């Protein structure tokens, strides 16, 4: 397990990173889990309002945001880029990104079993699929702001995780699974 290799208090969720950024020296290595839906539905809008981002009168920034407002690409890109440009992320010399893809039906099923509610609290499967797609698309449009040294994408389906490397130097490399190649690894 990755946490076995990291020092105590060196792994954070997206909700905890502001506390980590308050420390005088960030850990030498850390694992940061960014819950993209939580960031786009709540955290980024809260932080934007708290830092005076000039969108505070935008109805798309009401917290928590509505599923329909999360379909607004411009607002999402503004919020996520603002979030990823936090000085906390520039403290690290190397950033490796692994995006875990879980398709909407699988993710929705998992959330229903764990929490007794549908993913994003959306009961309409068409709207849920659209929001799910936009959350991943927004991440793809903005992840290069972190200037990653390496990028991987993992796909979870039916209890199997497949991992493949994404070229960092490829301009706007799209992450999709239509072109399975020999560089992918199944766990």
């Amino acid at each position: 397990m990755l946490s076995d290799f990291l020092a105590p208090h060196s792994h954070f969720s997206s909700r905890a990173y502001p506390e980590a950024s308050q420390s005088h020296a960030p850990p030498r290595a850390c694992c940061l889990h960014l819950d993209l839906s939580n960031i786009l539905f709540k955290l980024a809008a809260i932080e934007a309002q708290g830092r005076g981002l000039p969108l505070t009168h935008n109805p798309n920034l009401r917290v928590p945001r509505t599923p329909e407002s999360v379909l607004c690409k411009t607002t999402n890109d503004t919020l996520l880029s603002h979030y990823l440009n936090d000085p906390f992320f520039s403290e690290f010399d190397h950033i490796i990104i692994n995006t875990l893809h879980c398709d909407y039906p699988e993710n929705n099923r998992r959330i229903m079993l764990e929490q007794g509610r549908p993913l994003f609290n959306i009961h309409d499967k068409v709207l849920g699929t659209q929001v799910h797609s936009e959350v991943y698309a927004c991440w793809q449009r903005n992840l290069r702001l972190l200037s990653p040294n390496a990028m991987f994408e993992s796909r979870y389906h039916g209890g199997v995780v497949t991992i493949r490397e994404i070229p960092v130097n490829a301009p706007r490399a799209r992450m999709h699974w239509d072109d399975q190649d020999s560089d992918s690894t199944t766990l």
Side-chain angles (χ1 to χ4, degrees), residues 110-123:
R110 183 182 60 80
I111 294 295
M112 284 292 288
L113 288 173
E114 291 175 8
Q115 301 176 14
R117 63 169 180 81
L119 184 62
F120 313 125
N121 275 325
I122 301 172
H123 295 275

Side-chain angles (χ1 to χ4, degrees), residues 73-92:
K73 292 179 183 180
T74 305
T75 302
N76 291 341
D77 287 345
T78 301
L79 291 172
L80 190 57
S81 66
H82 187 262
Y83 186 89
L84 296 177
N85 279 316
D86 188 283
F88 172 75
F89 296 108
S90 65
E91 295 289 325
F92 299 98

Side-chain angles (χ1 to χ4, degrees), residues 69-78 134 137-138 141-142:
S69 73
V70 174
L71 292 176
C72 180
K73 292 179 183 180
T74 305
T75 302
N76 291 341
D77 287 345
T78 301
E134 171 52 25
C138 180
R141 292 189 302 267
N142 289 281

